[in-house]
């Protein structure tokens, strides 16, 4: 362990600043607690003071050290960011009588990683400030992920995402790490915030209560998937609300750099011109077609319009790794449960709030595989690999193969570990997939909630959700000996 | 479709020769039918005459054309070899009243690809000549696979196996395709035949009937897995017989080039010095340890020795993709069924009779993934990849990543197709894995036999077994447009 004191200083100070910023997030539930008189305000006050104090202690003494973040510290900070804030966010849930420590951590990490798998049954009866906190956490995690994915992971080179380094929106390109992260965060914060406001307004006009509208806008644009009702979106039973949800889930699942470009240049062409977004939309259409056709012909829904309605909502919910439900797809006919869970491995676009392997990596993986086939056939012409009309360097293709292989090997290991903990094969498969891909609903026993699983399983899955959020490789790098030796 | 007439001539002629050779294989069951007086001899005579006639018609008119096999023809011939001989081998089963056309094809292809998944219940009552034919088919498929894997696939460059081109035993290196295949086939035929004789003798001395000893030696060295009894190896209930089976399954799962070297140089060091064989043996020991410990602590078997006995047999049976059973592992506790099925994806060594992805590819995959992690960590030293003290070229690593990705994507697609045909998730998973990896027993409904699945599913799985045997890529190459265009 030769990780230098110098770096520890930077890491501590950065986390201190993040903690101070985070403490601001506790003010809304505090105000809501007072406004709705749900009696939770003393807890919120304590938690707020604690995070301010802790953040201050970590930042103040070290504030004058003139040190810049380096690439290597990025791995440590980004990992601690998700672990530490995830754990701290569990504190409010600890005050709920029905949740023990493991439950509280699972719920908080599930929200913060925008997974949206819950251990709470009886959501409709919870204090409003707690409900609000669950939703707000997803929203914070969503913007955290966008900044991580657009500004940090490409710099670290995780899973071939150095590809995106060249594609950063104009003004940010090529700057040093700290100012770039700050600038990116500011620009995307505005897009993300604006999207949330529009989404909340739309929900409200479509008939949700103001509280529900805001709460669900948080979990829609962040592709989180939590609801304030046990019945999730089935509670509203409104095609209009479902349509709004679909639209904003899709927006949340797209690369925010593309949103930025579309706004910056004032042209919607950007979406279709971007090869990843285009593939993503085509994939969604194909999945909706297969799902609705199968639902109709397996007579799950009697008329084609209803089949299409449920299929479209669920397909978009799963592909963007949101996990909202108007139906329990785990109970659908034939291959549909597995098909939908499989598509959650693809997930949304890189640089979005979605989880999974990401569309761009899948697209490149398929192009790479096709190239390997061509290589075998005389006259053995090996064409260079292109994405968005740019040639992909060999380093990126290797990184993507490596990413995919590790992802699959980790997934299989997880399923085995979960079965060792006593889950059956279908449940273990669903739980591992839904947590690693930050989706939410699983299969079998965990189709609706994770209430029934053991404490050990909850901890393993909480860990999995963070590893998924860190795009797997970040975690592996930190676990490698060479990282600490260097 | 520009595949030239010239090539069609070579392909037809080669298949004709193979068919003539194959007709010799029908003589043993014909003799057995006469000897045991099971009344099947007229069928065998008809089948024998048919194959001689068909082979002769394909070979004789074209025998004088002076054409050599080219690399591109290899793809066509190797694919047709498995399809055509697989289908022809089904004819004897057509005469069995309890089997329809789909059953007969499934059984024959399952035997010929050394998968060993059966649709027959009531083996103990079958005519001896039919029983013998099932076993002999596996034996023929086994040597077919060794020759394919050692002499043909490396030349085609499937999944990075050009690696082995340099490693061919001394006398065969660098020669033209046709004489090399012939020489390799001859040398390996002797090793394979000798191994079979020793195995049969050992079984006989350990207490099997002569018929059973020969029959099971066929399905052991070929890692086929068929038995002449419904209870498979549980029928004998003899630790000694199980030990012999374990030994010869392991030998069958090793690279036959290494056997050749060990005999050629008269040193057993070759086994341990070969990195793939070493990894394979270590893997087997680990799997036995995990399995026996779990069996003991989950109280499936009360005493540790019994747990070890069953664990060792089943672990070796699964890792070598043989599929023999002394117990139905699909019913074992916790994660064991999935663990064993997962290991069948690794399979035995390249250049053996085993199926799956192969140890060497897994080993390189893990080395490659580790290198990708190292690449991310400062100071970003990228060491060259080594196997058996030789540097692996970048072309091979790409091919192996591509192989793994296509294998997994194909597997997921298969599971979805099987579920579309009405199988439940666990059964579909087990059936796809066991057929793609040429293992034999599955999970769920297909744990013991494939009698219960629909005709469509049987055809799909028959196709899968051949695709697995062709190491997936061969099939993809043939399906690519560029192959036929070039
Ligand atoms: K989610
Ligand atoms: K087998």
């Amino acid at each position: 362990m030769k990780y230098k004191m110098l770096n520890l200083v930077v890491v501590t100070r950065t986390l201190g600043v993040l903690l101070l910023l985070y403490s601001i997030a506790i003010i809304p539930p505090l105000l809501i607690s007072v406004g709705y008189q749900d009696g939770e305000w003393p807890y919120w006050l304590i938690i707020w003071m604690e995070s301010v104090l802790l953040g201050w202690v970590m930042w103040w003494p070290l504030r004058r050290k003139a040190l810049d973040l380096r690439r290597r510290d990025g791995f440590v900070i980004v990992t601690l960011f998700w672990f530490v804030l995830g754990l701290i966010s569990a504190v409010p849930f600890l005050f709920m009588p029905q949740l023990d420590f493991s439950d509280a951590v699972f719920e908080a990490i599930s929200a913060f990683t925008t997974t949206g798998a819950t251990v709470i049954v009886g959501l409709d009866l919870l204090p409003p400030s707690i409900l609000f906190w669950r939703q707000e956490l997803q929203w914070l995690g969503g913007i955290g992920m966008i900044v991580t994915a657009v500004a940090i992971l490409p710099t670290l080179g995780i899973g071939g995402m150095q590809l995106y380094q060249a594609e950063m929106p104009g003004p940010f390109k090529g700057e040093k790490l700290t100012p770039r992260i700050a600038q990116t965060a500011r620009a995307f914060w505005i897009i993300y915030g604006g999207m949330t406001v529009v989404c909340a307004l739309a929900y409200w006009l479509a008939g949700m209560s103001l509280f529900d509208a805001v709460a669900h806008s948080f979990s829609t644009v962040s592709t989180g998937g939590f609801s304030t009702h046990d019945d999730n979106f089935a509670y509203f039973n409104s095609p209009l609300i479902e349509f709004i949800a679909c639209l904003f889930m899709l927006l949340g699942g797209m690369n925010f750099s593309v949103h930025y470009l579309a706004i910056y240049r004032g042209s919607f062409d950007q979406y279709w011109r971007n090869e990843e977004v285009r593939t993503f939309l085509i994939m969604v259409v194909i999945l909706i077609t297969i799902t609705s056709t199968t639902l109709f012909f397996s007579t799950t829904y009697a008329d084609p319009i209803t089949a299409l309605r449920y299929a479209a909502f669920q397909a978009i919910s799963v592909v963007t790794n949101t996990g909202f439900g108007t139906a329990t797809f785990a109970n659908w006919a034939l291959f549909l449960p597995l098909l939908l869970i499989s598509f959650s491995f693809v997930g949304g676009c890189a640089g979005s709030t979605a989880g999974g392997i990401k569309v761009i990596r899948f697209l490149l993986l398929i192009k790479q595989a096709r190239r390997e086939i061509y290589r075998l056939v005389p006259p053995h012409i090996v064409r260079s690999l292109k994405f968005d009309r740019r040639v992909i360097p060999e380093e990126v293709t290797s990184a993507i193969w490596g990413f995919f292989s590790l992802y699959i090997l980790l997934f299989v290991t997880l399923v085995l570990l979960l079965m060792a903990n006593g889950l059956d094969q279908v449940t273990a498969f669903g739980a591992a997939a839904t947590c690693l891909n930050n989706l939410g609903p699983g299969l079998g026993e965990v189709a609706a909630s994770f209430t029934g699983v053991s404490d050990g399983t909850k901890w393993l899955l909480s860990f999995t959700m963070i590893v998924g959020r860190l795009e797997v490789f970040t975690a592996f790098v930190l676990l490698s000996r060479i990282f600490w030796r260097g």
Side-chain angles (χ1 to χ4, degrees), chain A:
Chain A
M1 291 279 184
K2 276 192 184 167
Y3 198 65
K4 297 204 194 75
M5 280 305 290
L6 213 66
N7 304 77
L8 276 185
V9 167
V10 190
V11 168
T12 311
R13 190 177 63 185
T14 311
L15 283 175
V17 173
L18 288 172
L19 215 53
L20 286 174
L21 284 173
Y22 170 87
S23 70
I24 302 170
I26 299 170
I27 299 172
L30 174 61
L31 295 179
I32 283 175
S33 181
V34 174
Y36 280 83
Q37 300 185 324
D38 68 3
E40 301 278 329
W41 68 266
Y43 300 126
W44 292 111
L45 201 59
I46 295 170
I47 296 159
W48 179 72
M49 289 192 303
E50 276 175 358
S51 15
V52 171
L53 202 70
L54 188 61
W56 192 82
V57 165
M58 287 168 79
W59 166 69
W60 181 260
L62 305 171
R63 75 194 180 286
R64 292 211 190 280
K65 309 255 175 191
L67 293 169
D68 204 19
L69 275 179
R70 287 173 317 165
R71 196 155 164 273
R72 198 141 160 278
D73 308 321
F75 283 98
V76 180
I77 289 176
V78 87
T79 307
L80 285 178
F81 171 79
W82 292 98
F83 270 102
V84 172
L85 294 197
L87 282 173
I88 290 179
S89 306
V91 176
F93 298 119
L94 282 176
F95 293 105
M96 293 170 62
Q98 70 265 48
L99 300 186
D100 65 15
F101 187 50
S102 320
D103 292 326
V105 169
F106 183 92
E107 192 77 8
I109 288 184
S110 170
F112 197 53
T113 58
T114 77
T115 305
T118 188
V119 287
I120 302 177
V121 176
L123 290 173
D124 306 74
L125 308 168
L126 288 190
S129 63
I130 291 278
L131 278 179
F132 190 85
W133 180 239
R134 279 172 90 242
Q135 304 297 118
E136 195 197 353
L137 263 183
Q138 297 169 83
W139 193 73
L140 294 171
I143 184 70
M145 186 58 207
I146 294 170
V147 175
T148 307
V150 176
I152 304 178
L153 296 184
T155 326
L156 304 182
I158 300 293
M161 285 307 105
Q162 53 268 56
L163 197 64
Y164 267 108
Q165 224 170 341
E167 222 178 48
M168 288 284 294
F172 310 146
K173 201 184 285 184
E175 298 196 33
K176 277 173 80 184
L177 192 56
T178 322
R180 197 168 78 185
I181 293 174
Q183 270 185 312
T184 315
R186 213 170 298 135
F188 288 172
W189 190 268
I190 293 168
I191 299 172
Y192 188 69
M195 205 184 272
T196 313
V197 172
V198 177
C199 180
L201 270 174
Y203 276 147
W204 188 48
L205 292 173
M208 279 193 188
S209 74
L210 185 61
F211 184 84
D212 273 358
V214 173
H216 286 85
S217 73
F218 281 170
S219 55
T220 309
V221 297
S222 67
T223 67
F226 269 160
S227 169
T228 53
H229 305 287
D230 281 341
D231 287 342
N232 208 294
F233 266 67
Y235 174 88
F236 304 107
N237 193 16
S238 151
L240 180 58
I241 287 179
E242 287 165 29
F243 177 78
I244 297 166
C246 285
L247 185 69
F248 284 92
M249 286 192 280
L250 284 177
L251 291 175
M254 286 177 195
N255 193 319
F256 273 66
S257 298
V258 181
H259 289 320
Y260 180 90
L261 280 179
I263 294 166
Y264 192 72
R265 301 196 181 153
S267 94
F268 280 92
D269 281 12
Q270 297 299 326
Y271 291 108
W272 194 251
R273 280 176 57 186
N274 182 283
E275 193 172 348
E276 184 182 20
V277 172
R278 199 165 62 231
T279 312
F280 172 66
L281 293 174
I282 293 169
M283 204 177 76
V284 168
V285 170
I286 293 172
L287 185 60
I288 292 176
T289 311
I290 298 175
T291 309
S292 57
T293 315
T294 313
L295 280 181
F296 177 65
F297 284 105
S298 66
T299 66
T300 311
Y301 296 105
D303 78 294
I305 299 300
T306 313
L308 183 64
R309 173 184 160 190
Y310 283 92
F313 187 85
Q314 218 55 64
I316 292 173
S317 167
V318 163
V319 164
T320 59
N321 283 341
T322 309
F324 281 144
T326 48
T328 308
F329 72 83
N331 301 335
W332 280 355
L334 298 170
F335 59 93
L336 286 179
L338 186 65
L339 180 74
L340 289 165
I341 283 279
S342 298
F343 265 87
S344 80
F345 277 90
V346 183
C349 302
S352 76
T353 58
I357 290 172
K358 306 292 180 313
V359 174
I360 185 174
R361 291 203 189 92
F362 247 92
L363 187 63
L364 285 172
L365 213 55
I366 287 172
K367 287 186 180 193
Q368 289 169 203
R370 207 175 48 187
R371 191 175 59 157
E372 289 308 315
I373 291 173
Y374 280 17
R375 211 195 277 258
L376 294 180
V377 183
H380 309 288
I381 299 162
V382 182
R383 267 175 286 185
S384 57
L385 216 61
K386 282 187 184 173
F387 173 76
D388 256 346
R389 287 176 297 277
R390 286 186 298 125
V391 173
I392 304 296
E394 209 56 47
E395 194 186 311
V396 169
T397 53
S398 283
I400 290 176
W401 294 123
F403 185 89
F404 180 73
S405 310
L406 271 186
Y407 207 92
I408 297 298
L409 292 179
L410 178 67
F411 172 70
V412 173
T413 312
L414 273 172
V415 175
L416 291 172
L417 284 174
L418 289 172
M419 290 182 79
N421 274 335
L423 300 190
D424 67 86
Q425 193 185 322
V426 172
T427 305
F429 182 90
T434 207
C435 289
L436 191 60
N437 299 333
N438 302 123
L439 169 61
L443 300 174
E445 317 263 311
V446 296
S449 93
F450 284 72
T451 322
V453 303
S454 73
D455 279 1
T457 305
K458 278 175 199 152
W459 282 100
L460 180 60
L461 289 175
S462 303
F463 187 76
T464 304
M465 291 187 269
I466 291 182
V467 170
R469 197 79 296 200
L470 290 170
E471 303 231 293
V472 178
F473 250 91
T474 321
F476 276 103
V477 167
L478 276 182
L479 292 175
S480 72
R481 261 177 315 163
I482 194 175
F483 182 86
W484 299 100
R485 228 193 279 140

